[in-house]
Amino acid sequence: MEKLVVIGSGVVGQATGKGFIAMGHEVVFCDINPETLAKLGSQGHKVCPPELLEQEQGIKAFFLPISTPTVDGKIQLGFLKGAVANLGMGALKKNNDYCIVVVRSTVPPNTTEGSLIPLLEKYSGKKAGKDFGVCMNPEFLREGRALEDFINPDRIVIGEYDKRSGDRLAELYSGFNAPIIRTNIKTAEMIKYASNAFLATKISFVNEIGNLCKKLGIDVYDVTNAMGLDKRIAPHFLQAGVGFGGSCFRKDVEALTHKSKSVNNEARVLSAVLDVNALQPMKIIDMLGQKLGDFNKKRVAILGLAFKDNTDDVRDSPSISIIRNLVDQGADIVCYDPKAENNMKKLFPQIAYAESAVDAIKNADACLVLTAWKEFGKLKDQDFDSMRQRIIIEGRRVLDRTKVRDFEGVCW
Ligand code: UDX
């Protein structure tokens, strides 16, 4: 059992810490936000504000899963650099034994070696590779399933500053049933971006095929189900719809595109992935326009606000641009989401929020389904009988064709 510290206790930090606890290690969670620590409680682990971290001794590894948002496509490293500087001048300086610093944030290639290690050395007065080790260990965790993904990874990537650093981290992961890939640090940084960019590309690709299928009267799911049986293609991430949302895909593809530009390299596919995704929510608006005509004073029910099911997260959710467009065109919106209502209210306080899907649908001129919540798959034909006009369009494949008649999908 080793003593580990997680600095930055958000979704990734919690999954990392709780995962290592499940593997028998002792974990201290640290965060600059006292509320985050209070919510974590202290059962089965310790919590610690950054200013007290240097009092902890015997630490074997510091994990840094700190968010790296983008502004205008450019990654913001402020939070991460702040935490790294604090770690350098505090706990790393005071920790007497050899320990490793593990960058878990998603950062562009060369960030750890170019910016973070110099900060650690400057503030701790110690030397990387001699007094302490450094690894870059990207995460591939899905929101809502982060702990499960941490415990059952497809692969573990260890970007190591030197062999000793990598050996230490590989030891911590030795109980996991997954291949461990050991690389240099910038390769590990790239593996994370390339993985997310590829998944985003898959989605924009199927959406493009889906848009074409729609025009040709083909159900894209019949196409992708067959495509997915080809082992080289695989069935995952072939679900066409209103496009991807969430906190990672757009941000990471943008950051990679930006990085690419900074070295004079044009990333045409990546730019197209973002363009297709930005336009995809408008496909459903166009379809609605053809059926409904003018949106002014029309009542539109929106089922699903979260960027995917099983989360209250609306960051980059396609529902945002769809609602904004409808509101701008004078539609009366009534929404329903089992979890994401409060988060959407912060963006759209002026629209109506219903207690249930059935309530939202009542008297609506049209209904758009934008998140694949399982409960929408239980809706029955008569649930839609209360609509003023029966216009139902799915942006995610979730309604059950055996229970509901007369609806269509954005790409099917
Ligand atoms: C993603 C990555 O999966 C994860 O590895 C990374 O570390 C963080 O980003 P997450 O954002 O939680 O995870 O959600 P994910 O389940 O990947 O879905 C992202 C978006 O893509 C959702 O809006 C989802 O609806 C959409 N999506 C996904 C599709 O439109 N079609 C698909 O086939 C799959």
Side-chain angles (χ1 to χ4, degrees), residues 11-12 106 138-145 149 155 192 195-196 199-200 202-204 206-207 221 235-249 252 277 306-309 311 313 315-318 370-372 395-396:
V11 173
V12 175
T106 300
E139 51 82 16
F140 306 99
L141 312 174
R142 288 166 300 173
E143 205 175 304
R145 296 185 179 87
D149 285 351
R155 77 307 208 183
K192 168 62 192 258
S195 300
N196 268 3
L199 294 173
K202 247 185 142 176
I203 299 171
S204 278
V206 291
N207 284 339
Y221 278 75
H236 318 285
F237 274 71
L238 290 181
Q239 278 146 318
V242 269
F244 57 78
S247 62
C248 293
F249 285 160
D252 292 350
N277 197 59
F307 82 96
K308 65 175 186 179
D309 61 326
T311 177
D313 196 343
R315 282 177 292 176
D316 266 359
S317 178
L370 302 183
T371 312
R396 305 274 183 212

Side-chain angles (χ1 to χ4, degrees), residues 301-306 308-310 334-340 354-361 367-381 383-384 392-401 403-404 407:
I302 306 274
L303 303 188
L305 302 169
K308 65 175 186 179
D309 61 326
N310 291 321
V334 51
C335 308
Y336 168 71
D337 189 286
K339 277 195 177 166
E355 292 285 310
S356 68
V358 174
D359 277 353
I361 297 166
C367 171
L368 305 181
V369 184
L370 302 183
T371 312
W373 285 102
K374 279 211 175 70
E375 64 175 79
F376 300 152
K378 293 185 187 141
L379 289 168
K380 291 189 286 297
D381 213 48
D383 293 326
F384 293 92
I392 307 163
I393 309 174
E394 274 189 309
R396 305 274 183 212
R397 182 85 148 203
V398 59
L399 296 179
D400 184 342
R401 271 153 205 271
K403 292 190 185 129
V404 186
F407 65 88

Side-chain angles (χ1 to χ4, degrees), residues 306-361:
F307 82 96
K308 65 175 186 179
D309 61 326
N310 291 321
T311 177
D312 66 355
D313 196 343
V314 298
R315 282 177 292 176
D316 266 359
S317 178
S319 62
I320 296 174
S321 49
I322 291 170
I323 293 173
R324 187 165 293 132
N325 190 295
L326 291 173
V327 166
D328 287 350
Q329 297 197 55
D332 288 331
I333 307 280
V334 51
C335 308
Y336 168 71
D337 189 286
K339 277 195 177 166
E341 177 181 322
N342 286 340
N343 283 333
M344 201 53 116
K345 272 187 181 157
K346 292 177 200 153
L347 299 176
F348 296 103
Q350 76 275 34
I351 60 175
Y353 293 85
E355 292 285 310
S356 68
V358 174
D359 277 353
I361 297 166

